[in-house]
Amino acid sequence: MGFCEVRVFPDAAALSRAAADEFARAACEAVGARHRFSVALAGGSTPKGVYALLAADEESGARRLPWSQTQVFFGDERTVPPDHLDSNFGMARAALLGHVPVPLDNVHRIRAELFPHFAAEVCEAEIRSSLGLRTGDWPRFDLVLLGLGADGHTASLFPGTLALYETVRIVRSNRVPQLNTERVTLTLPALNAAAMVMFLVTGAEKAETLRRVLSDSAPAEALPAQLVRPCDGTLLWLVDEAAASRLEVKA
Ligand code: 6PG
C-alpha cells in the first residue's frame, strides 16, 4: 500500500474546510501536471459541507478551481432518479455542481434509475471513454472522496455483498440485502487504483467502526472500508474528534 495518514479535526466544520483545501490542492496539482483533474464524489451527508464550501469559495471569488478541466464521477448511487432526495448526484448538484462552471459534459452521473446492471455498464463505458482508458486499464482518479458507514461500508460496498469480490469491472451493481435494495458502485480495484482516496468521517456513532477499520488487523470483508488501500497512492482519513475518540494515539 502507498502512504496513509489520519488527520483529526475539532469538529465537522474544520474537517470540511480541510477537505475543501485538499480538494483544491489536488485539482490544481493534477491540472498543472496533466491538464485534467478527475474526481469521484462521495454521497451520504458528510461531504455536503465540503461541497458547500467549494461552491461558496467559487461564488465569492475567494478561490476558483479549474472546473473546465475537471471530470466529475461518483463513487456510488442509489437506484433513484437524479431529482430524488436520496440521489447522491442530486445532493452534489444542489450543494456544488449547480454553483460552479463545470461543463455539463464533464459530469458523469450514474444513471441508477435505469436497470442497475445496465447503469453500471453505461457508467463504466463513460469512465473509459472520458479518461481515454484502454481495455484492461484501471482508471487512476486523481481524487476519490468516500464516507464510512457505521457498519463499515463505503461507497456501496456493504459487508458480505458480492461486489466486494469484483476483480474485472470498474463499476457494478450490488444487491444490498441489509437495505433490501440494489446500488451501483465503484469496485475495490477501481478505488485502489486512485492517486488519492480521502475518507471523511464525523460523529461518535462511527468511532468504534473507525477504530476497527484503522486497526492493524488483516483487512476483512466484514469491514469493506478496510479493503480500500490504494496500491500506489495516498490514503487520507479526515476525521473529527468524536469519530476519533476511540483511536489510540501513537507517538
Ligand atoms: C451512500 C454512500 C455511502 C456513504 C456512507 C456515509 O450513497 O450512502 O456513498 O457510502 O458515504 O454511508 O454516509 P454519511 O456521510 O451520510 O454518514
Side-chain angles (χ1 to χ4, degrees):
M1 188 177 84
F3 180 75
C4 174
E5 188 186 346
V6 181
R7 295 186 198 158
V8 182
F9 299 90
D11 51 31
L15 178 150
S16 295
R17 176 41 74 192
D21 290 348
E22 202 58 53
F23 186 112
R25 193 202 54 72
C28 295
E29 191 181 293
V31 168
R34 292 175 293 284
H35 310 290
R36 181 180 73 198
F37 174 51
S38 56
V39 60
L41 299 181
S45 54
T46 315
K48 265 188 213 169
V50 183
Y51 300 161
L53 283 174
L54 289 167
D57 285 353
E58 193 75 32
E59 285 178 333
S60 69
R63 177 163 58 194
R64 299 212 186 278
L65 294 187
W67 290 107
S68 62
Q69 289 151 292
T70 298
Q71 297 287 334
V72 180
F73 303 93
F74 291 82
D76 72 319
E77 190 54 277
R78 293 103 180 256
T79 40
V80 294
D83 48 3
H84 192 282
L85 274 182
D86 290 340
S87 164
N88 285 338
F89 165 77
M91 183 276 281
R93 179 176 55 188
L96 172 63
L97 303 173
H99 304 271
V100 297
V102 60
L104 275 182
D105 285 350
N106 291 16
V107 179
H108 311 280
R109 78 173 181 90
I110 303 175
R111 292 162 206 281
E113 71 277 18
L114 307 174
F115 181 58
H117 181 77
F118 179 61
E121 281 186 356
V122 170
C123 180
E124 174 153 343
E126 213 167 312
I127 292 173
R128 288 194 172 285
S129 77
S130 51
L131 297 184
L133 303 184
R134 288 165 306 182
T135 314
D137 282 351
W138 292 101
R140 184 161 173 80
F141 295 116
D142 294 305
L143 176 64
V144 175
L145 295 178
L146 288 176
L148 174 70
D151 62 355
H153 81 261
T154 190
S156 280
L157 298 163
F158 285 77
T161 55
L162 285 178
L164 294 176
Y165 303 96
E166 179 63 49
T167 57
V168 177
R169 284 173 278 190
I170 295 170
V171 188
R172 61 163 285 166
S173 57
N174 195 22
R175 175 90 204 135
V176 185
Q178 42 277 67
L179 298 178
N180 191 25
T181 190
E182 194 92 12
R183 295 274 188 99
V184 180
T185 186
L186 289 180
T187 61
L188 285 166
L191 298 175
N192 286 335
M196 179 187 267
V197 172
M198 185 160 72
F199 276 93
L200 310 174
V201 190
T202 61
E205 66 286 1
K206 304 214 178 138
E208 178 56 16
T209 310
L210 184 67
R211 185 195 66 73
R212 289 172 56 215
V213 168
L214 293 178
S215 71
D216 291 334
S217 60
E221 282 76 19
L223 286 176
Q226 215 179 29
L227 300 167
V228 178
R229 298 183 165 206
C231 321
D232 180 23
T234 299
L235 178 58
L236 196 52
W237 287 87
L238 304 191
V239 308
D240 72 354
E241 277 176 7
S245 57
R246 303 231 175 136
L247 299 183
E248 279 175 34
V249 180
K250 287 188 186 159

